[in-house]
């Protein structure tokens, strides 16, 4: 089959803008604040870059069904490591690839000749038993960063081949430690404190910038959580103002790219 490249409508051209999300609730929640012309094509969630293209053989057969079709889809997609397959399948319709790194936080488990992302959905599906004998590689360790860096370069190369790297935007959102009232955001004992997590993520975002991704950063003064968020207060559940800011920046970038394209 001949190589396919992104051939969808030019973003910002007045027609719909097809979006592929590779990330977490941060990108998905931001999407709801984008103009109606933005159309969600696929949401690849709970999948570390390390899992991408590194299927974990034998794991899927040992997982139990979850009550949510979405959770089942993302867990099994992670086991397959299907991001690039999804991008290749949808390439003709993709105008924007929206990326965030929140789901890297659990690290990965090396199992079945590949990797799975260690997050709650996998564990709720029986992931602990399904990955028996596997080895956990915690986020932010040098081993994790080395594995992730290799994977991130491979993903960027493939997106470049597909003509999608120039259509990608990475959301750099600091974990929130406070709410507007000044109260501390509740952080479970097993979760990394926000200040520590923000320091750990620095080198990951730096590498994405070096690889050619456009990075949109949420200002620190908007990195606030709220109990009014639909999923409750959390370091990565933000005020509406934060999502409005990110959506505005995304819309500006898409419009600028369209203008640059028209002037070529």
């Amino acid at each position: 089959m001949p190589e396919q490249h992104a051939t969808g409508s030019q973003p910002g051209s007045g027609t719909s803008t097809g979006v592929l999300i590779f990330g977490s609730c941060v990108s998905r929640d931001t999407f709801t604040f984008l103009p109606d012309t933005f159309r969600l094509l696929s949401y690849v969630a709970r999948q570390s870059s390390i899992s991408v293209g590194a299927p974990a053989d034998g794991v899927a057969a040992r997982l139990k069904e979850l009550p949510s079709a979405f959770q089942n889809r993302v867990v099994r997609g992670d086991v397959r490591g299907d991001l690039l397959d999804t991008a290749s399948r949808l390439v003709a319709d993709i105008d924007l690839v929206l990326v965030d790194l929140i789901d890297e936080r659990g690290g990965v488990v090396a199992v079945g000749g590949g990797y799975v992302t260690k997050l709650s959905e996998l564990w709720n599906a029986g992931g602990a038993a399904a990955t028996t004998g596997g080895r956990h590689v915690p986020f932010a360790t040098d081993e994790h960063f080395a594995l992730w860096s290799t994977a991130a370069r491979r993903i960027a190369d493939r997106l470049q081949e597909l003509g999608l790297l120039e259509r990608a935007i990475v959301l750099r959102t600091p974990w929130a430690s406070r709410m507007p009232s000044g109260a501390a955001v509740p952080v479970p004992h097993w979760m990394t404190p926000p200040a520590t997590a923000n320091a750990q993520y620095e080198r990951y975002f730096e590498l994405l910038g070096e690889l050619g991704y456009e990075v949109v950063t949420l200002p620190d003064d908007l990195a606030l959580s709220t109990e009014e968020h639909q999923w409750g207060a959390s370091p990565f559940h933000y005020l509406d103002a934060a999502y409005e800011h990110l959506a505005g920046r995304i819309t500006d970038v898409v419009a600028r790219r369209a203008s640059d394209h028209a002037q070529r």
Side-chain angles (χ1 to χ4, degrees), residues 127-239:
T131 60
T132 297
R135 187 173 60 85
H136 181 217
V137 182
F139 173 70
T141 59
D142 287 343
E143 180 183 6
H144 184 278
F145 184 68
L147 288 169
W148 182 88
S149 297
T150 298
R153 289 188 175 93
R154 177 168 47 82
I155 292 169
D157 287 346
R158 181 56 179 154
L159 292 180
Q160 183 70 60
E161 290 173 358
L162 292 170
L164 294 175
L165 187 60
E166 65 183 19
R167 299 185 177 210
I169 295 176
V170 174
L171 300 182
R172 182 175 186 164
T173 56
W175 284 25
S177 60
R178 295 286 169 185
M179 293 188 278
S181 66
V185 174
V187 179
H189 67 88
W190 45 263
M191 184 180 288
T192 304
T196 302
N198 290 335
Q200 291 174 338
Y201 271 102
E202 286 289 335
R203 58 179 175 172
Y204 292 80
F205 285 114
E206 287 175 5
L207 180 60
L208 291 183
E210 293 169 6
L211 292 176
Y213 288 89
E214 179 138 10
V215 179
V216 167
T217 300
L218 180 68
D220 288 337
D221 64 342
L222 290 177
L224 298 170
S225 189
T226 173
E227 293 174 343
E228 295 177 2
H229 190 281
Q230 63 176 329
W231 308 120
S234 165
F236 30 85
H237 296 163
Y238 302 100
L239 295 172

Side-chain angles (χ1 to χ4, degrees), residues 236-249:
F236 30 85
H237 296 163
Y238 302 100
L239 295 172
D240 284 0
Y243 299 117
E244 290 167 354
H245 174 86
L246 293 171
R249 289 292 314 280

